[in-house]
Amino acid sequence: MLALGWKRLGFEGIERMQRNSAVEEAISILANTMRLHAESQMRFGNLFKVDREEAINNLDRAFEAKLEAFHTLYDVSKTIFSYFDHGDTALLIAVRNAIHHRNHPLFRSLYSRLFFDGDASRWLGASFLLASYPTLHGSPIRMSHYVRLDDLDARLDPTLVSPYLDASLKGDKAKQRFMLIERQLGLAAIRQKGFSEHYPENQIYLDLVPVFTSAACRTFKAMKAAGITFKGFDAGVYLQLFTSEIEVDLSNPKFEVLPIVFTPQSRTLASRA
Protein backbone atom coordinates (compact mmCIF):
# COMPACT_ATOMS: atom_id res chain seq x y z
CA MET A 1 0.00 0.00 0.00
CA LEU A 2 2.82 2.40 0.89
CA ALA A 3 4.61 1.66 -2.37
CA LEU A 4 1.38 2.28 -4.28
CA GLY A 5 0.98 5.61 -2.55
CA TRP A 6 4.50 6.69 -3.51
CA LYS A 7 3.83 5.61 -7.10
CA ARG A 8 0.70 7.78 -7.28
CA LEU A 9 2.65 10.78 -6.00
CA GLY A 10 5.26 10.36 -8.70
CA PHE A 11 8.88 11.41 -8.57
CA GLU A 12 8.14 15.15 -8.71
CA GLY A 13 5.58 14.91 -5.95
CA ILE A 14 7.97 13.00 -3.69
CA GLU A 15 10.74 15.48 -4.41
CA ARG A 16 8.42 18.40 -3.58
CA MET A 17 7.35 16.78 -0.31
CA GLN A 18 10.95 16.20 0.71
CA ARG A 19 11.91 19.76 -0.18
CA ASN A 20 8.97 21.24 1.71
CA SER A 21 9.78 19.14 4.76
CA ALA A 22 13.38 20.40 4.71
CA VAL A 23 12.19 24.00 4.31
CA GLU A 24 9.75 23.64 7.21
CA GLU A 25 12.52 22.34 9.45
CA ALA A 26 14.87 25.13 8.36
CA ILE A 27 12.23 27.77 9.14
CA SER A 28 11.66 26.24 12.57
CA ILE A 29 15.39 26.32 13.35
CA LEU A 30 15.73 29.88 12.04
CA ALA A 31 12.81 31.08 14.16
CA ASN A 32 14.37 29.45 17.22
CA THR A 33 17.71 31.20 16.65
CA MET A 34 15.85 34.49 16.21
CA ARG A 35 14.24 34.07 19.62
CA LEU A 36 17.55 33.09 21.23
CA HIS A 37 19.22 36.19 19.77
CA ALA A 38 16.43 38.39 21.13
CA GLU A 39 16.85 36.82 24.56
CA SER A 40 20.64 37.40 24.44
CA GLN A 41 19.99 41.03 23.57
CA MET A 42 17.61 41.39 26.52
CA ARG A 43 20.19 39.95 28.94
CA PHE A 44 23.10 41.92 27.48
CA GLY A 45 22.93 45.06 29.63
CA ASN A 46 22.94 43.34 33.00
CA LEU A 47 25.49 40.71 31.98
CA PHE A 48 27.79 43.39 30.52
CA LYS A 49 28.08 44.97 33.98
CA VAL A 50 29.23 41.64 35.43
CA ASP A 51 31.16 39.94 32.63
CA ARG A 52 31.84 42.10 29.59
CA GLU A 53 33.52 39.36 27.56
CA GLU A 54 30.72 36.84 28.06
CA ALA A 55 28.04 39.42 27.29
CA ILE A 56 29.63 40.46 23.99
CA ASN A 57 30.51 36.93 22.89
CA ASN A 58 27.04 35.58 23.74
CA LEU A 59 25.39 38.30 21.68
CA ASP A 60 27.75 37.94 18.72
CA ARG A 61 27.46 34.15 18.62
CA ALA A 62 23.66 34.39 18.84
CA PHE A 63 23.59 36.70 15.81
CA GLU A 64 25.95 34.45 13.88
CA ALA A 65 23.69 31.49 14.67
CA LYS A 66 20.86 33.40 12.98
CA LEU A 67 23.01 33.90 9.90
CA GLU A 68 23.85 30.18 9.80
CA ALA A 69 20.18 29.25 10.10
CA PHE A 70 19.24 31.74 7.38
CA HIS A 71 21.85 30.21 5.09
CA THR A 72 20.42 26.74 5.76
CA LEU A 73 17.00 28.04 4.74
CA TYR A 74 18.57 29.44 1.58
CA ASP A 75 20.18 26.07 0.83
CA VAL A 76 16.88 24.19 0.95
CA SER A 77 14.57 26.84 -0.53
CA LYS A 78 16.52 28.51 -3.36
CA THR A 79 14.24 26.82 -5.90
CA ILE A 80 11.32 28.66 -4.28
CA PHE A 81 12.82 32.12 -3.84
CA SER A 82 15.54 34.04 -5.71
CA TYR A 83 17.76 35.22 -2.86
CA PHE A 84 20.29 36.99 -5.07
CA ASP A 85 17.67 39.25 -6.63
CA HIS A 86 17.41 41.28 -3.43
CA GLY A 87 20.02 43.32 -1.60
CA ASP A 88 19.06 42.28 1.93
CA THR A 89 19.05 38.52 1.34
CA ALA A 90 22.15 38.67 -0.88
CA LEU A 91 24.05 40.60 1.80
CA LEU A 92 23.11 38.18 4.58
CA ILE A 93 24.34 35.21 2.58
CA ALA A 94 27.61 37.00 1.77
CA VAL A 95 28.20 38.01 5.39
CA ARG A 96 27.37 34.50 6.62
CA ASN A 97 29.85 33.00 4.17
CA ALA A 98 32.52 35.46 5.24
CA ILE A 99 32.01 34.74 8.95
CA HIS A 100 31.72 31.00 8.32
CA HIS A 101 35.13 30.83 6.62
CA ARG A 102 36.72 33.51 8.85
CA ASN A 103 40.00 33.82 6.92
CA HIS A 104 40.03 37.59 7.42
CA PRO A 105 39.48 40.17 10.20
CA LEU A 106 36.16 41.45 8.84
CA PHE A 107 32.60 41.61 10.24
CA ARG A 108 33.41 41.81 13.92
CA SER A 109 30.80 43.67 15.91
CA LEU A 110 31.25 47.19 17.23
CA TYR A 111 31.44 46.04 20.84
CA SER A 112 33.98 43.36 19.93
CA ARG A 113 36.22 45.91 18.24
CA LEU A 114 35.86 48.45 21.06
CA PHE A 115 36.58 46.14 23.97
CA PHE A 116 38.68 43.27 22.59
CA ASP A 117 41.15 45.18 20.39
CA GLY A 118 43.38 46.65 23.04
CA ASP A 119 42.42 49.14 25.74
CA ALA A 120 38.96 50.55 25.09
CA SER A 121 40.00 53.89 26.60
CA ARG A 122 41.98 54.66 23.44
CA TRP A 123 38.63 55.64 21.90
CA LEU A 124 37.87 58.16 24.64
CA GLY A 125 36.51 61.32 23.02
CA ALA A 126 35.84 59.68 19.64
CA SER A 127 32.42 59.39 18.03
CA PHE A 128 31.02 56.67 15.80
CA LEU A 129 28.44 57.14 13.07
CA LEU A 130 25.88 54.35 13.30
CA ALA A 131 23.64 53.77 10.29
CA SER A 132 20.42 51.78 10.60
CA TYR A 133 17.00 51.56 8.94
CA PRO A 134 13.52 52.47 10.21
CA THR A 135 10.37 50.41 9.95
CA LEU A 136 7.54 51.68 7.79
CA HIS A 137 5.08 51.39 10.67
CA GLY A 138 7.20 53.62 12.89
CA SER A 139 8.00 51.27 15.78
CA PRO A 140 11.77 50.87 16.24
CA ILE A 141 13.61 47.56 16.13
CA ARG A 142 15.05 47.35 19.64
CA MET A 143 18.09 45.25 18.75
CA SER A 144 21.27 45.98 16.84
CA HIS A 145 24.41 44.38 15.46
CA TYR A 146 26.81 46.93 14.05
CA VAL A 147 29.67 46.08 11.69
CA ARG A 148 32.03 48.43 9.93
CA LEU A 149 30.81 49.64 6.56
CA ASP A 150 34.30 49.40 5.10
CA ASP A 151 34.34 45.70 6.04
CA LEU A 152 31.42 45.22 3.68
CA ASP A 153 33.23 47.16 0.96
CA ALA A 154 36.44 45.19 1.44
CA ARG A 155 34.57 41.91 1.07
CA LEU A 156 32.19 42.74 -1.75
CA ASP A 157 33.42 45.68 -3.85
CA PRO A 158 35.65 44.27 -6.63
CA THR A 159 36.89 47.74 -7.60
CA LEU A 160 38.82 48.01 -4.33
CA VAL A 161 41.04 44.98 -5.06
CA SER A 162 40.95 44.14 -1.36
CA PRO A 163 42.95 41.14 -0.05
CA TYR A 164 39.73 40.09 1.71
CA LEU A 165 37.55 40.17 -1.41
CA ASP A 166 35.03 37.35 -1.75
CA ALA A 167 36.42 35.06 -4.44
CA SER A 168 33.23 33.04 -4.91
CA LEU A 169 32.00 35.54 -7.50
CA LYS A 170 34.14 37.16 -10.16
CA GLY A 171 33.85 39.76 -12.89
CA ASP A 172 30.43 41.11 -13.78
CA LYS A 173 28.61 38.87 -11.29
CA ALA A 174 30.61 40.29 -8.39
CA LYS A 175 30.01 43.85 -9.61
CA GLN A 176 26.29 43.25 -10.07
CA ARG A 177 25.91 41.79 -6.59
CA PHE A 178 27.71 44.73 -4.99
CA MET A 179 25.75 47.29 -7.01
CA LEU A 180 22.46 45.61 -6.05
CA ILE A 181 23.32 45.67 -2.35
CA GLU A 182 24.65 49.22 -2.50
CA ARG A 183 21.59 50.51 -4.35
CA GLN A 184 18.91 48.76 -2.32
CA LEU A 185 20.52 49.48 1.06
CA GLY A 186 21.42 53.11 0.31
CA LEU A 187 25.09 52.56 1.10
CA ALA A 188 26.21 55.57 -0.97
CA ALA A 189 24.11 57.86 1.25
CA ILE A 190 25.75 56.35 4.35
CA ARG A 191 29.23 56.90 2.94
CA GLN A 192 28.35 60.47 1.96
CA LYS A 193 27.02 61.19 5.45
CA GLY A 194 30.24 59.90 6.98
CA PHE A 195 32.43 61.80 4.50
CA SER A 196 30.54 65.09 4.91
CA GLU A 197 30.83 64.90 8.70
CA HIS A 198 34.51 63.88 8.60
CA TYR A 199 34.25 60.42 10.15
CA PRO A 200 37.19 58.09 9.54
CA GLU A 201 36.18 54.98 7.61
CA ASN A 202 36.77 52.76 10.64
CA GLN A 203 34.22 54.77 12.65
CA ILE A 204 31.26 54.28 10.30
CA TYR A 205 29.08 51.28 11.16
CA LEU A 206 26.06 49.58 9.59
CA ASP A 207 23.36 47.84 11.63
CA LEU A 208 22.68 44.35 10.26
CA VAL A 209 19.62 43.64 12.42
CA PRO A 210 17.14 45.64 10.29
CA VAL A 211 18.74 44.12 7.18
CA PHE A 212 18.15 40.68 8.68
CA THR A 213 14.59 41.64 9.62
CA SER A 214 13.87 42.83 6.08
CA ALA A 215 15.34 39.64 4.61
CA ALA A 216 13.33 37.45 6.99
CA CYS A 217 10.13 39.31 6.12
CA ARG A 218 10.78 38.93 2.41
CA THR A 219 11.68 35.25 2.68
CA PHE A 220 8.86 34.27 5.04
CA LYS A 221 6.31 35.91 2.74
CA ALA A 222 7.69 33.89 -0.18
CA MET A 223 7.57 30.66 1.83
CA LYS A 224 4.01 31.36 2.97
CA ALA A 225 2.94 32.10 -0.63
CA ALA A 226 4.51 28.78 -1.69
CA GLY A 227 2.34 26.92 0.80
CA ILE A 228 5.12 26.08 3.25
CA THR A 229 3.87 25.24 6.75
CA PHE A 230 5.41 27.15 9.66
CA LYS A 231 5.79 24.43 12.28
CA GLY A 232 6.55 24.94 15.96
CA PHE A 233 5.80 27.70 18.43
CA ASP A 234 8.62 30.08 17.41
CA ALA A 235 7.86 29.73 13.69
CA GLY A 236 4.17 30.37 14.34
CA VAL A 237 4.95 33.56 16.26
CA TYR A 238 7.28 34.92 13.59
CA LEU A 239 4.93 33.96 10.74
CA GLN A 240 2.39 36.61 11.75
CA LEU A 241 4.97 39.16 12.82
CA PHE A 242 7.20 38.94 9.76
CA THR A 243 4.56 38.51 7.06
CA SER A 244 2.01 41.13 8.03
CA GLU A 245 3.21 43.39 10.86
CA ILE A 246 6.82 44.46 10.16
CA GLU A 247 8.34 46.08 7.10
CA VAL A 248 11.74 47.77 6.98
CA ASP A 249 12.51 50.83 4.84
CA LEU A 250 15.94 50.02 3.44
CA SER A 251 15.84 53.04 1.14
CA ASN A 252 15.91 55.48 4.04
CA PRO A 253 18.93 54.94 6.33
CA LYS A 254 18.83 56.80 9.62
CA PHE A 255 21.79 57.84 11.70
CA GLU A 256 22.85 57.94 15.31
CA VAL A 257 26.08 59.27 16.78
CA LEU A 258 27.73 57.19 19.48
CA PRO A 259 30.13 59.30 21.56
CA ILE A 260 32.64 57.29 23.57
CA VAL A 261 32.48 58.35 27.20
CA PHE A 262 33.69 56.22 30.09
CA THR A 263 32.79 56.65 33.73
CA PRO A 264 35.83 56.45 36.04
CA GLN A 265 34.27 53.65 38.10
CA SER A 266 32.82 51.27 35.51
CA ARG A 267 34.62 52.40 32.34
CA THR A 268 31.53 51.44 30.33
CA LEU A 269 30.08 53.14 27.31
CA ALA A 270 27.69 55.97 28.01
CA SER A 271 25.56 55.19 24.96
CA ARG A 272 24.18 51.96 23.58
CA ALA A 273 25.33 50.28 20.36
Side-chain angles (χ1 to χ4, degrees):
M1 290 294 292
L2 184 60
L4 185 60
W6 286 119
K7 185 177 288 187
R8 287 202 188 100
L9 274 173
F11 178 76
E12 289 184 3
I14 295 170
E15 190 176 54
R16 184 167 57 252
M17 284 180 60
Q18 292 174 335
R19 181 204 64 188
N20 287 0
S21 178
V23 174
E24 290 164 3
E25 182 177 3
I27 289 174
S28 179
I29 293 171
L30 174 58
N32 183 246
T33 63
M34 291 163 67
R35 175 176 60 80
L36 293 175
H37 177 248
E39 291 174 354
S40 293
Q41 189 91 53
M42 291 170 61
R43 291 191 295 265
F44 178 80
N46 288 333
L47 183 57
F48 186 85
K49 297 173 186 176
V50 178
D51 190 329
R52 179 182 297 166
E53 181 177 355
E54 182 179 353
I56 295 171
N57 282 333
N58 285 356
L59 194 57
D60 287 358
R61 300 299 85 75
F63 184 78
E64 290 168 10
K66 288 203 310 183
L67 291 178
E68 283 291 338
F70 186 83
H71 192 275
T72 297
L73 178 59
Y74 153 72
D75 278 337
V76 298
S77 68
K78 52 192 170 186
T79 58
I80 299 175
F81 178 71
S82 298
Y83 286 81
F84 294 104
D85 288 346
H86 307 277
D88 49 8
T89 50
L91 177 59
L92 287 192
I93 292 168
V95 172
R96 177 269 173 189
N97 288 340
I99 291 174
H100 180 78
H101 295 292
R102 192 63 86 183
N103 55 352
H104 52 75
L106 309 178
F107 298 117
R108 294 176 55 214
S109 70
L110 172 58
Y111 271 135
S112 177
R113 288 189 181 276
L114 282 177
F115 292 103
F116 297 160
D117 289 352
D119 188 350
S121 63
R122 75 194 186 285
W123 293 107
L124 185 62
S127 292
F128 290 78
L129 182 66
L130 309 181
S132 189
Y133 302 94
T135 61
L136 289 176
H137 50 78
S139 297
I141 298 172
R142 301 188 183 279
M143 297 190 294
S144 61
H145 186 91
Y146 288 99
V147 297
R148 275 171 38 177
L149 183 62
D150 64 344
D151 282 2
L152 190 155
D153 294 337
R155 187 67 177 176
L156 299 179
D157 185 356
T159 66
L160 295 183
V161 198
S162 162
Y164 309 125
L165 188 66
D166 179 12
S168 66
L169 287 182
K170 300 182 185 299
D172 287 343
K173 288 186 176 181
K175 291 179 183 177
Q176 289 166 7
R177 177 180 62 177
F178 181 72
M179 290 171 61
L180 174 73
I181 293 170
E182 181 172 51
R183 183 176 69 254
Q184 293 192 0
L185 272 64
L187 300 186
I190 298 173
R191 289 193 202 90
Q192 180 57 37
K193 175 77 171 178
F195 177 78
S196 65
E197 298 189 8
H198 308 291
Y199 283 92
E201 287 186 346
N202 66 348
Q203 290 173 222
I204 304 172
Y205 278 74
L206 176 70
D207 188 0
L208 293 183
V209 166
V211 178
F212 187 98
T213 302
S214 176
C217 289
R218 190 184 307 280
T219 307
F220 283 7
K221 288 175 183 176
M223 298 303 113
K224 181 181 177 182
I228 301 297
T229 302
F230 283 60
K231 293 183 176 180
F233 178 80
D234 290 336
V237 169
Y238 286 115
L239 169 63
Q240 176 69 18
L241 189 63
F242 279 67
T243 59
S244 62
E245 297 180 17
I246 294 180
E247 191 169 355
V248 178
D249 184 5
L250 293 178
S251 66
N252 182 33
K254 61 184 182 69
F255 301 94
E256 179 181 355
V257 174
L258 175 70
I260 304 302
V261 180
F262 294 89
T263 62
Q265 294 80 18
S266 63
R267 300 183 70 78
T268 57
L269 289 181
S271 180
R272 73 161 184 86

